[in-house]
Amino acid sequence: MSRFALPVSAAAAMLVALDGTVLLIAQPSMRRELGAGAAALQWTSTGYLVAVAALLVVAGRLGDRYGHRGTLLAGVLGFGAASAGIALAPTVGWVIGLRVVQGAFGALLQPGTLALLRLCCPPERLGRAIAVRTGAIAVAAGAGPLLGGVLVAQFGWRAVFWINVPVAVLIAAMTVALRPPEVERIRQRLDLTGAVLLAAALAVLVHALARVPDDGWNGPELALGAGLLAVLIGHERRTPEPVVPRPVARSRPVIASLVLLLTSSAGLFGTLFSTTFRLQDALHLGPLSAALRMLPLTALMVLGAPAAERALRRYGPRRTALAGTLLLVAGVAALAGPGGGGSAPVATAVAAALLGAGFAAVMVTATGSVVGDAPPGHAGAVGGLKQTAMNIGPTLGIAAASSTGPHGALPALAVLAAVGLLPAATLPAARPVKRRGVVAANG
């Protein structure tokens, strides 16, 4: 394995995860300094999310066509440059515009982080590399609120964007030093019509889901997004070179893993959204106290990732994914029970630990299936689809939590997470052992 492949993949994933979490801490200070209204402030998050979700699959296809090292390098440099621009922004309008640009570059860098692991890791070490990457994301997500709080308190909101710049430069330097094995790429033309339809459908759906707390489920954008998806599916069936390659669409392990990631991330992040509001609004805990009460989630994600990798090797994807999904559902149900919503610290800690352990098992298993079972030449496309599921899932979960009320949110989210048992049950019982040469050739 190239010695820089795993550090590059983990660091790039941490950069994106940190950026999203520290922004939440920075927004109140940003609003005061820039005089931004609530709607404009919301677009500093929504603009990024819409851009990244819309472009991930297209970015992955570009990596498959032109090389993942180049797209990752362009993405991380653009991400860092956009961060510097945001730190210098004079108005909230500039912040929103540059956040959209940052989202576009974030989409460009993310699929390559998984595809490079596929290229550079021997099959027997791929699961361990994915577990390390999952743990790194958990550390970033857990440390984000604390780091953001320190930076904003000491240096102001602009510091949370300045800190991205040296990190991006470091990742770019490691990427330049990275020497992935040369593979034969599939010279498939990118269907521009399909790419535009896919980007438009995802952008509309993500924006519509983000508006559910205000507009409900009857907004016209949801219908428009569904209509665009229907048009896309019809176009994909007719075109000889669809934007989602047919070998990917026909891969049962890949599709099952994507659905599992969607439902699990929806259940987890919707639960975190609902519980955070209960801790701070109903129980009147401060942000730091609320974060500490949920700290076992981060701890068990970090510790659970390598344990999940060992379980994956011993028990196979199907049983590991089923166990992880059940743990996740149990964690949501425990938070919905007496004392689990935060009023009893021990019960909340146990529930948070179940959430962390379950989500770690799902992440390691599903990501391993997406990366390891990617059809030849399409690692970037499936990496883009994986990151798309991980962007849409939390938005769906928050929409479900906000629309079912304080008493119905957690039961609804437990059901949503339990839907993941269906795709988990269709994963292979055991992962076949692949030779190094076969995996490398699959690019």
Side-chain angles (χ1 to χ4, degrees):
M1 179 177 70
S2 173
R3 60 174 178 164
F4 289 114
L6 180 54
V8 165
S9 180
M14 290 181 73
L15 175 66
V16 174
L18 270 174
D19 179 80
T21 54
V22 297
L23 176 66
L24 297 176
I25 305 299
Q27 282 180 327
S29 177
M30 183 190 299
R31 179 175 58 186
R32 290 190 296 270
E33 181 179 325
L34 300 179
L41 197 70
Q42 178 63 31
W43 265 102
T44 63
S45 296
T46 304
Y48 174 91
L49 185 63
V50 168
V52 74
L55 298 174
L56 277 165
V57 177
V58 175
R61 287 294 310 278
L62 290 174
D64 288 334
R65 179 68 173 80
Y66 298 107
H68 298 291
R69 180 170 165 267
T71 55
L72 174 58
L73 181 61
V76 74
L77 287 175
F79 191 94
S83 296
I86 295 168
L88 295 169
T91 66
V92 70
W94 277 97
V95 173
I96 293 170
L98 287 167
R99 282 287 288 172
V100 173
V101 173
Q102 190 184 38
F105 282 110
L108 196 61
L109 75 88
Q110 290 185 59
T113 65
L114 289 171
L116 286 173
L117 284 185
R118 165 76 177 265
L119 280 171
C120 298
C121 292
E124 66 275 9
R125 295 178 62 183
L126 182 59
R128 187 172 303 171
I130 290 172
V132 171
R133 184 180 184 273
T134 301
I137 294 172
V139 170
L146 179 61
L147 177 62
V150 171
L151 289 173
V152 172
Q154 297 298 319
F155 307 106
W157 67 268
R158 298 177 189 273
V160 304
F161 294 101
W162 278 124
I163 198 171
N164 288 340
V165 177
V167 177
V169 171
L170 176 61
I171 296 171
M174 290 192 294
T175 304
V176 170
L178 188 62
R179 293 291 181 267
E182 292 293 331
V183 296
E184 183 179 354
R185 303 186 189 116
I186 294 179
R187 300 295 180 180
Q188 186 179 34
R189 181 180 63 88
L190 179 62
D191 176 28
L192 292 180
T193 302
V196 170
L197 284 171
L198 177 62
L202 291 174
V204 170
L205 284 174
V206 168
H207 184 250
L209 288 172
R211 294 292 303 169
V212 164
D214 297 320
D215 300 340
W217 292 95
N218 297 321
E221 283 183 287
L222 281 173
L224 175 60
L228 286 171
L229 280 178
V231 173
L232 172 66
I233 291 171
H235 174 79
E236 293 281 274
R237 288 177 174 174
R238 294 190 303 269
T239 186
E241 298 178 337
V243 66
V244 177
R246 288 194 174 91
V248 173
R250 293 168 180 162
S251 173
R252 179 178 293 182
V254 169
I255 298 303
S257 298
L258 293 173
V259 175
L260 177 57
L261 287 168
L262 178 73
T263 58
S264 298
S265 60
L268 175 67
F269 285 91
T271 298
L272 290 177
F273 175 83
S274 178
T275 304
T276 298
F277 270 87
R278 172 171 168 75
L279 290 172
Q280 296 191 36
D281 292 352
L283 300 179
H284 306 294
L285 295 179
L288 180 59
S289 298
L292 290 174
R293 198 160 289 196
M294 297 298 292
L295 189 60
L297 187 152
T298 302
L300 264 293
M301 272 197 69
V302 175
L303 297 174
E309 189 271 330
R310 291 192 293 271
L312 184 59
R313 283 190 281 113
R314 182 170 181 178
Y315 300 110
R318 183 185 303 165
R319 284 192 283 180
T320 306
L322 286 171
T325 306
L326 288 171
L327 286 172
L328 184 63
V329 173
V332 180
L335 281 173
S343 57
V346 174
T348 302
V350 170
L354 290 171
L355 289 173
F359 194 66
V362 168
M363 276 283 288
V364 170
T365 304
T367 304
S369 293
V370 166
V371 177
D373 292 314
H378 300 302
V382 297
L385 287 167
K386 184 262 179 185
Q387 295 301 125
T388 301
M390 292 299 298
N391 276 274
I392 294 177
T395 312
L396 173 63
I398 292 171
S402 62
S403 62
T404 49
H407 300 295
L410 291 177
L413 291 165
V415 172
L416 182 57
V419 172
L421 292 169
L422 299 177
T426 68
L427 290 174
R431 180 175 298 284
V433 178
K434 298 179 182 178
R435 292 171 296 155
R436 166 70 171 166
V438 173
V439 175
N442 286 351

